[in-house]
Amino acid sequence: MAYKALCLGLMCSLFVYQIYTPIPEDIEEPWKVTMLNVLVRTTELTGTLLEKIGLMKSEELFSRAAQAYFTKPISDENVTVIDTAFNGIPVRLYLPKKKSERKRPAVIFIHGGAFVLGSCKHMAYDIVHRQMVNQLGAVVLGVDYRLAPEYQYPIPLEDSISVTRFFLQDKILAKYEVDPTRICISGDSSGGMFTAIVTQVLKDDPEFKNKIKAQVLIYPSLQSVDLSMPSYQENEYGLILTKEMAVKYACLYITNDEALLQAARKNQHMPQGSRHLFKFVNWSTLLPEKYRKNHVYKEPVLGKLNSFPGLLDTRLSPLIANDSQLQNLPLTYIITCGHDVLRDDGLIYVTRLRSVGVKVVHEHMENAFHGALSFITPPFYLHLGFKMKDMYINWLEKNL
């Protein structure tokens, strides 16, 4: 009881303090967004305080809050919803009840949550996936990969690859009446990273390379090499996802060693021998001029930390894949947001994919922020979230 009272007192005090934090002038429904941002900031700061006094890790507090929005597999008159497992990994299937004269498209969805939070069972994703079934007649597969820090790199990624390979088997596609030429893989935030990596991996696999027609990346995280891009600088204390949160949870995906987090905060985490990778993320040449503004490019300091050679792996940073690894990727749809620390990851990936001949459709929402797709549920319905949802599904309808 004393613990709960302490948490409530802390959160109330922080809530009042945070409510006066200004938000960008171009944001729609500013009071709703202000309240959302205050709730996230309050939870973040409360978690940090609880962590410092040894009561709870901050990610645990966020995780418990997120679980309040998880849904049960409830079917309705149009959709059969099933929780099952593929290769031992939990998944949620959304299957159309309406008969179809032709085989169906399919959408594989890998959820976001900064590697440590969330589930494909989240209420917002449930809404999106039911609409996909009703509007597209699609089979939708949500992947519930294991989460960091309990399961660190590469386990969550390998879960995503394993589920995708299982689903793409001819016998499984036949079982669910899926057209093997009309399959999309998609994801938001950290799920966008996994989507990009899975697509890169399967591109060169003889058994699966022709079974992904399209990939969708929604405000994706795509690299851990340079954590001082203009979007990180401009949105350091931005809406919903701050730089500190992004860096901390990305580090927790890799290790519990505080040394990596301390170095990453200063952009001094990359090991010796990594200089050749910076050409793939050099925002001074790859970022559209509009977003370079008056920022001066400074290459990160190397060699302060040499304990994590995995940072050189494209399976941690798909943006550092070389040109040959990006060639012949499928049709790509990318949504980026102006008020997002991860904005530049997506913008640079658009540039790099187009430079090697990949067909890319890019939607940039200047007045949007990270996580907007999640805010289509009570108590906060944001027009921005519904707009993003409809853009995403309408694009799928035209291209699958």
Side-chain angles (χ1 to χ4, degrees), residues 187-200:
D188 65 325
S189 192
S190 53
M193 172 185 284
F194 290 159
T195 296
I197 299 167
V198 171
T199 308
Q200 289 181 13

Side-chain angles (χ1 to χ4, degrees), residues 100-362:
S100 176
E101 295 181 357
R102 57 185 296 204
K103 289 187 175 181
R104 307 179 184 282
V107 180
I108 302 166
F109 185 81
I110 307 176
H111 72 84
F115 307 105
V116 303
L117 309 170
S119 167
C120 64
K121 300 171 184 176
H122 192 281
M123 189 185 299
Y125 300 140
D126 185 71
I127 292 170
V128 172
H129 295 159
R130 289 176 189 274
Q131 184 174 333
M132 286 179 179
V133 175
N134 291 320
Q135 186 171 331
L136 312 179
V139 171
V140 181
L141 169 66
V143 184
D144 235 4
Y145 56 86
R146 288 170 286 181
L147 299 173
E150 183 177 2
Y151 299 99
Q152 292 175 320
Y153 169 81
I155 292 174
L157 171 61
E158 289 178 344
D159 286 352
S160 301
I161 295 173
S162 176
V163 167
T164 303
R165 288 182 186 274
F166 184 93
F167 182 70
L168 293 179
Q169 295 176 97
D170 290 335
K171 63 181 181 181
I172 301 299
L173 296 180
K175 176 180 178 180
Y176 297 112
E177 301 180 357
V178 171
D179 185 340
T181 67
R182 300 169 67 204
I183 300 171
C184 173
I185 183 168
S186 62
D188 65 325
S189 192
S190 53
M193 172 185 284
F194 290 159
T195 296
I197 299 167
V198 171
T199 308
Q200 289 181 13
V201 168
L202 296 186
K203 175 181 74 76
D204 297 319
D205 188 315
E207 185 177 355
F208 302 110
K209 67 177 182 179
N210 295 319
K211 288 186 176 177
I212 299 293
K213 181 179 182 181
Q215 64 172 334
V216 175
L217 313 179
I218 302 172
Y219 37 77
S221 167
L222 295 172
Q223 60 88 31
S224 301
V225 175
D226 186 352
L227 302 179
S228 189
M229 290 186 177
S231 59
Y232 274 90
Q233 297 178 49
E234 294 165 16
N235 298 289
E236 182 173 0
Y237 305 105
L239 296 173
I240 308 302
L241 182 68
T242 62
K243 177 180 177 179
E244 173 64 19
M245 292 171 66
V247 172
K248 178 179 180 179
Y249 293 151
C251 289
L252 280 177
Y253 174 50
I254 301 169
T255 180
N256 292 320
D257 189 339
E258 280 282 324
L260 178 60
L261 175 59
Q262 296 301 328
R265 283 171 172 155
K266 300 175 182 178
N267 209 29
Q268 298 177 356
H269 57 290
M270 291 301 291
Q272 292 286 1
S274 62
R275 180 163 275 107
H276 66 288
L277 299 175
F278 290 102
K279 64 183 178 182
F280 299 125
V281 298
N282 186 337
W283 59 262
S284 69
T285 59
L286 295 170
L287 195 63
E289 185 175 356
K290 175 182 178 180
Y291 299 100
R292 298 178 209 162
K293 297 183 179 177
N294 296 320
H295 296 286
V296 177
Y297 180 74
K298 294 181 181 180
E299 188 176 278
V301 176
L302 305 182
K304 293 285 186 178
L305 197 67
N306 290 300
S307 308
F308 303 98
L311 291 170
L312 307 177
D313 193 344
T314 57
R315 300 200 310 165
L316 269 176
S317 296
L319 194 53
I320 63 175
N322 61 43
D323 287 354
S324 65
Q325 290 172 289
L326 300 183
Q327 289 172 345
N328 302 315
L329 285 173
L331 173 64
T332 300
Y333 181 58
I334 297 178
I335 297 177
T336 54
C337 301
H339 303 295
D340 183 4
V341 294
L342 303 179
R343 178 197 69 199
D344 296 348
D345 287 18
L347 293 176
I348 292 174
Y349 205 45
V350 169
T351 299
R352 293 208 55 216
L353 290 180
R354 285 176 174 167
S355 72
V356 297
V358 176
K359 185 176 180 181
V360 180
V361 177
H362 176 215

